[in-house]
Amino acid sequence: MEVGGPGLPPEPGVLVFSMRQALATSKETKEHTMHFAKPTTAHAAASLALASFGLMTAAAVSAKEVTVWAWDPNFNIAIMKDAAARYTAKHPDATFKIVDMSKADLEQKLQTTLASGVTKSLPDIVLVEDYNAQKYLRSFPTSFEPMSGKVDYAGFAKYKVDLMTVNGKVYGLPFDSGVTGMYYRKDLLAKAGFSEKDMENITWDRYIEIGTKVMAVTGKKMLGIDPNDNGLIRVMMQSAGRWYFDKDGKLDIKGNPALKAAMEVQGKLFKSGIVKPVTNWAEYVGAVNKGDVASITTGVWITGAVKSEKSQAGLWAVAPTPSLNVPGAVHASNLGGSSWYVLSGGKEKAMAVDFLNEIFAKDTDFYQSILISRGAVGTLMSSRAGKAYSDADLFFGGAQVWLRFSDWLAKVPSVNYGMFTYEGDAAVSAQLPALNQGVPVDQLLDKIQAQLAAQIK
Amino acid sequence: MSFEKIRIASIYLFLWVMAFLSIFPFLWMLISATNESNDITKGKLSFGNAMVANYQKFAALFDVGLVFWNSAKIAIVGSVLTLLVSSLAGYGFEVFKSPTRERFYQGILVSMMIPFATLMIPLFILLASFDMLDTHMAVILPTIASAYMVFYFRQNTKAFPPELRDAARVDGLKEWQIFLFVYLPVMRSTYAAAFIIVFMATWNSFLWPLIVLQSVELKTITLVLSSLGSSYTPDFGVIMVATIMATIPTLAVFFAMQRQFVEGMLGSVK
Amino acid sequence: MRQASRPGYRIFYDINGWAFVSVALLLIGTFMVYPIIQSLWMSFHAGQGTMVRFIGLGNVERLTSDPMFLRALTNTFIFLVVQVPIMIVLALVLASCLNMPNLRFRGLLRTAIFLPCVTSLVAYSVLFKSMFSYDGLVNSVLLQLAIIDQPVPWLTDPFWARVVVIAAITWRWTGYNMIFYLAAMQNVDKSIYEAARIDGISATRRFLSITIPVLKPVILFTTVTSTIGTLQMFDEAMNITGGGPADSTLTLSLYIYNLSFKFVPNFGYAATVSYVIVVLVAILAFFQFYVAREKD
C-alpha cells in the first residue's frame, strides 16, 4: 500500500543494532542475462492505436468532451453510453468520455480530489449513491453545481429530490430508484400451500410463518442474508419513515421504534432458521439463481440478476415489501439508488447540465429503453406512462411488474439520509453478531447510540 | 525403521505439505480460469473448457495489450530509477560517512514509520501543483527514492571490499567511475534481488495509481482487476484470467533472477 | 571511518558524499518529508472535507472516546501478537528443514514456499475471498472430507474472519521471511552441526542452541519488519474482509482510510490516527534499540 517502500514492511532503526558482519563473499560466478516479458515497441504502438476503447463516439469537428465517472459496466456505464449516444445524435459537437471504475475506487478518488482542491482532474459528471449525497454536498459545498431553475424537479419522485437538496438548492439529476419489492418463487410457495394472494401486503411476522412452512415442506430456506450487512434493516426502517437521524439531522437511535422493530425482525429471521447466510454479493445473488432460497426482498435493480437464470422463467412473482408492526409502516421502501451530479469545476459543465436535463429529465423514450435493456427503473414519474412499463413480463408469469414497482416508488417514505449514513451502518453492523446471538435489542441500541455520538463530531 | 528415518520422513512430509499449501491457490487460479463463474463459486476442482471464452470476455472489456504495457512501463521505469537513485545514496551514506549525513540517514529511516494513508492527500495535492495528475510519471515519481532501498543498499555496501575501492583510486579512477565500473558489476546480485523486490512492488501497486490515474488509457492491470472484482455481478472466470495475467510477469521476473535474489538477500542482513 | 590524512581531502570527501546522496535526499524531502509535515499540520484541524477549523489537540481527546478507534487498536494488536510469532516460528522451522543436508528437491520446495509473496495483493485477496466464501472451495473440501458437518462461516463470523486474515498474511509472507533465515544459515559452518550430531545432540537441541543464536540478528530484523508491516496492515483487511464482520478485522490503517474516504471525510482526525501508528512504531524502535544495546 505504500508509495515509498517496495511492498514489504519498511524498516526503521535497524541501524541501531550492529548486525554481525559475516564473511563477505563478493565473488560473482556465472553471467546471467535478464529476461523480461516486455512487449515490443511495435506492439505497444499498436495498442496505443487501439486505445479508443469504443468509449468515445465519433469525434466531431469542434468537439466538446464531457467526462463522466460511474461504476458497474452492466448497469450505470451501459445506461450512460446509451444516454450519450442519444445526445450526440442531436448535438454532433458533443463527445463523451465515460470512465468506468469500481464504486469504492470512484468514491475514494472523488473524495481525495475534492479535498485537494484540484479541479483539473475532476470529471464533468459523477455518479453519487443517494446515501452519500448530503455528505458530499455539505462537506464540499462549492464543488457541485446547483441545477434548480435549470431542471424541472416536479416530475421526479419526491424522496429523491429531497435527498439532493441543501439550503433550498437542488443539486443532482435524479437517476435510478432502489424501490423495493419482494420477489418470490411461486412454485415453492404453492407446494407449501400459499397462493399469490397470500403473499400480498403481509407483515414480516407473517413472512416468518410462511417461510417456516416453506422450509418444512420444501427444505428450501426462505431468504439469503449476509449476517454482517444491515441492508434489510435499512429497508425495514425506511418503510416506516424513520432513519438513523430525524428531519433535523439529530441522532434518532434510542427512541426509534422502526429501527428497534427492524433489528428485532432480523434477529427473529435468524432464530427461525429460515435464513441462508451468505458471505458476499455474488453468493447473495447465487442463492437466488441456484434455487437455494424461495424469496428475495431488495431493490428493483436486482431484477436483471433474477432474470439471468433462464431456467427459472415463469416461476417468479413480485409482491409488495412486507411491513413492520409499527405506526406509519407502509409496504414500500428503498435500498440504494443513485443520481448524477455536475461538478462546478468541470470544463464542460454547461453542456453537462444541458445533456442531463435533455435526456434524464425529459426523454421518456430513453427510460423505456433502459428499462427493457437493463431493468433500470428511473425516478421520472412521467416515464411510467410509456409502453415498456405496462408490458407484461413472461419471466414473472405475465405480470406487469414494472407498473407495480412504479406504484410503490410513489409511496416510498421520504427520510433524511443526512451526512452520516455510512457511520450509522458501521455502528449497526458492529452489533449484528450480538443481535444474532440473541442479545436484547435495547442494549444494542445503547451501544449504537454511543458509537454514533462519538463519530458524528 | 530407526528414529532418524522417521524424523527425516516427517520433515519431508511437512515440507511437501507446506509447499502444496503455498502453491495451491495458484493451481486453483489456473483451474478456475478454465471454468465458468458459477462453477468457480461452487468450488469446482477440475479443469473446464471456458478459458478462451473467459479471455475473450476480458479482451472485450479492456484493451489487454495496452493495460499490460502500462503496468510494464511503470514497473520497469520505476524499478530502474529506484535502483539507481537508492543505490547511489546507499553507497554514498556508507562510503563517505559524516555525522551530518548520518543524521539525514536516520531521518530517512524514521520517515518509513509513517503509514502511506497519512501522506496520500498531501502527496496528491503536491503532484497536482506540479500539474502531473493522470500521468504515469506521477505514479513513478514518489516511489523513486525508497527509504527501504536506501537502507538495503547501505547494508549491502558494507560487504563491498574496501580494497577494491582503494585499488581503483590508486589507478586514478574518479569516485563516480568507481561506482559505475567497480561497485556496480561486483554488486550484480544485490541489484538483481533489489530489482525483483521493487519490480514486484511497482507491478502490484494499487492504492496510489488508483488515486492518480483517471484515464482508462493509463490504467494498470491491478486497477483493472480491482474494478472487475467490484462489479455487482462479478464474472469470476474473467477475474481469474485477469489474475493469472497479473501474476505471470512477477513470476517470470522471479524465476529469471531467482539465484541472484537469494544471494542478494544474503547481503542485506549481514 | 577513514580519517582525512591531507588537507583538502576532507572537502573532496564531503563533496562526493553529498553528490551521491543528493538526488535521493531531494526526492525523499519532496515526496516524504513535506507531506509528513503537512499531515502533521492537518492533525490539528477538524471538520468535514474542506470545511476545517483549527482545534489544537481536540483530535487527540477524541481518540480516547471513540469506540471504533479502540476496536481498531485492539485488532491491530491481536494481529501483531498472534500473527507475527506464528509466522516467524513457521519460517524458522521451514528454513531449518530446508537446510537439512542432502535434502532432495531443495530448490523446488524452497521456490514453492517462497512463491506466495510474488503474487499481487489484489490478486491474492480475490483468491482468498472466493476460496473462503460460505459455499466456497474450502468449505466444500472440508465437508467432503467430513472434517466439518456444517459450513464454517469464514468471512461472516468475527472469530473466523480474523483467522482467515491471519492465514492470508501468513501464507503470503512466511516464505519471504524464510529466505532471510536460509540465507543466514548458509553462513553457518556445516562442520559445527556435524560435530554436534556426532556428539549425539538431538535435532531440537541443535536447532535451539546453534541455529537460533546464530540467527539472532536476522530474527530481530525480520521481527521488526513484520511488526511494522502489521502495524500498518491495510491491504488484506481492505480487500478480503473490508474490516468486517462487526469491525473484527478493522485495522488502524483501514480506519484511517474509512475516515478519509468512506465516512464523512475528516482528514485532520485521520491524520491524528495515523500518528498513533507512528508513535507505536517509535516505541517499538526504542524497545529494539534497548534490546540491541544489551547485546553489544
Side-chain angles (χ1 to χ4, degrees), chain A residues 229-249:
Chain A
D229 178 61
N230 61 336
L232 194 59
I233 292 176
R234 255 182 284 140
V235 168
M236 296 187 238
M237 180 164 62
Q238 186 169 355
S239 75
R242 300 293 281 260
W243 201 250
Y244 305 126
F245 316 97
D246 62 16
K247 290 274 177 275
D248 310 322

Side-chain angles (χ1 to χ4, degrees), chain B residues 3 13-14 20 33 76 81 88 90 105 109 134 146 152 181 194 238 257 260 265:
Chain B
F3 174 73
L13 181 71
F14 171 68
F20 174 76
I76 291 169
L81 288 174
L88 274 171
Y105 179 70
L109 293 183
D134 206 21
S146 150
Y152 168 90
F181 303 126
V238 174
M257 305 167 84
Q260 293 93 322
M265 279 296 173

Side-chain angles (χ1 to χ4, degrees), chain A residues 1-41 43-53 55-56 69 71-76 97-106 108-118 120-123 129 280-283 285-286 290 301 305 308-309 337, chain B residues 38 41-42 61-63 65-69 72 76 102 105-106 109-110 112-113 115-117 120-121 123-125 128-129 131-134 139 141-149 151 155 158-161 164 185-190 192 195 197-199 201 205-217 219 223 226-227 230-234 236 248-249 252-253 256-257 259-260 263 266 268-270:
Chain A
M1 76 165 273
E2 67 274 42
V3 169
L8 35 109
E11 220 300 348
V14 172
L15 73 159
V16 296
F17 55 81
S18 48
M19 293 251 180
R20 279 173 26 133
Q21 290 276 340
L23 282 169
T25 50
S26 61
K27 56 174 193 291
E28 287 279 337
T29 44
K30 289 184 215 116
E31 284 289 334
H32 270 261
T33 48
M34 301 189 193
H35 298 282
F36 294 112
K38 195 163 35 176
T40 62
T41 30
H43 179 188
S47 313
L48 281 166
L50 289 170
S52 60
F53 279 95
L55 288 181
M56 304 176 200
W69 286 2
W71 63 87
D72 199 356
N74 300 322
F75 194 84
N76 303 315
K97 181 175 172 188
I98 298 162
V99 185
D100 165 29
M101 45 189 124
S102 79
K103 180 168 173 285
D105 297 1
L106 186 148
Q108 175 193 313
K109 220 178 250 193
L110 187 65
Q111 277 190 214
T112 318
T113 314
L114 291 176
S116 74
V118 183
K120 196 182 79 79
S121 61
L122 283 171
E129 188 185 30
N280 53 39
W281 186 255
E283 273 187 20
V285 176
K290 284 190 273 185
W301 30 254
S308 68
E309 186 59 52
Chain B
N38 51 3
T41 44
K42 286 176 199 153
L61 288 169
F62 295 97
D63 179 343
L66 183 72
V67 167
F68 231 76
W69 167 241
I76 291 169
E102 214 55 39
Y105 179 70
Q106 286 167 7
L109 293 183
V110 169
M112 288 196 291
M113 299 182 194
F116 174 62
M120 203 152 49
I121 290 159
L123 259 183
F124 184 86
I125 298 169
S129 67
D131 202 14
M132 282 175 75
L133 292 181
D134 206 21
V139 178
L141 210 53
T143 69
I144 292 175
S146 150
Y148 182 86
M149 278 291 132
F151 162 78
Q155 288 295 335
K158 291 184 199 292
F160 178 69
L164 287 177
V186 169
M187 304 300 279
R188 260 204 319 273
S189 67
T190 301
F195 182 84
I197 298 171
V198 179
F199 178 88
S205 62
F206 170 64
L207 193 54
W208 180 238
L210 171 71
I211 298 165
V212 175
L213 299 178
Q214 263 95 30
S215 306
V216 185
E217 304 82 73
K219 276 193 175 181
L223 298 185
S226 137
S227 62
S230 58
S231 147
Y232 278 124
T233 46
F236 283 103
I248 285 175
V253 168
M257 305 167 84
R259 203 183 56 84
Q260 293 93 322
E263 277 175 17
L266 251 139
S268 68
V269 292
K270 280 177 178 163

Side-chain angles (χ1 to χ4, degrees), chain B residues 9-25:
Chain B
S10 56
I11 284 179
Y12 270 106
L13 181 71
F14 171 68
L15 284 174
W16 280 112
V17 167
M18 293 310 283
F20 174 76
L21 287 176
S22 302
I23 294 290
F24 181 77

Side-chain angles (χ1 to χ4, degrees), chain C residues 41-223:
Chain C
W41 175 239
M42 273 166 36
S43 74
F44 294 110
H45 294 74
Q48 297 149 357
T50 45
M51 318 285 291
V52 295
R53 61 191 191 284
F54 186 85
I55 57 153
L57 292 175
N59 282 325
V60 181
E61 259 169 68
R62 185 177 159 177
L63 283 177
T64 53
S65 63
D66 177 352
M68 215 165 173
F69 164 73
L70 296 173
R71 276 202 292 271
L73 190 66
T74 315
N75 291 336
T76 304
F77 268 102
I78 289 174
F79 287 132
L80 190 69
V81 171
V82 177
Q83 193 269 333
V84 174
I86 290 180
M87 180 174 69
I88 299 288
V89 170
L90 193 59
L92 266 172
V93 173
L94 280 168
S96 57
C97 287
L98 281 174
N99 206 35
M100 198 169 72
N102 316 324
L103 184 78
R104 269 176 298 175
F105 306 112
R106 188 194 314 269
L108 178 68
L109 288 163
R110 186 183 61 199
T111 304
I113 293 167
F114 178 78
L115 222 46
C117 80
V118 176
T119 50
S120 139
L121 150 91
V122 178
Y124 106 97
S125 300
V126 168
L127 284 175
F128 270 72
K129 215 164 142 174
S130 57
M131 285 189 338
F132 283 96
S133 63
Y134 195 74
D135 293 336
L137 179 79
V138 175
N139 273 342
S140 66
V141 168
L142 291 176
L143 283 167
Q144 270 164 358
L145 296 174
I147 293 171
I148 51 175
D149 56 348
Q150 275 287 319
V152 178
W154 291 110
L155 298 171
T156 48
D157 176 89
F159 172 79
W160 291 115
R162 281 183 183 144
V163 171
V164 172
V165 170
I166 287 173
I169 306 172
T170 309
W171 179 81
R172 189 161 189 229
W173 292 107
T174 303
Y176 175 82
N177 286 310
M178 179 194 79
I179 291 285
F180 281 92
Y181 301 151
L182 263 179
M185 281 177 187
Q186 286 171 1
N187 291 334
V188 181
D189 199 342
K190 293 275 183 293
S191 59
I192 301 176
Y193 277 111
E194 202 47 39
R197 218 167 58 85
I198 290 162
D199 289 348
I201 294 168
S202 72
T204 321
R205 278 288 313 278
R206 290 204 296 271
F207 176 75
L208 289 176
S209 51
I210 302 174
T211 312
I212 298 283
V214 166
L215 290 187
K216 218 161 211 161
V218 190
I219 293 171
L220 204 49
F221 169 86
T222 50
T223 310

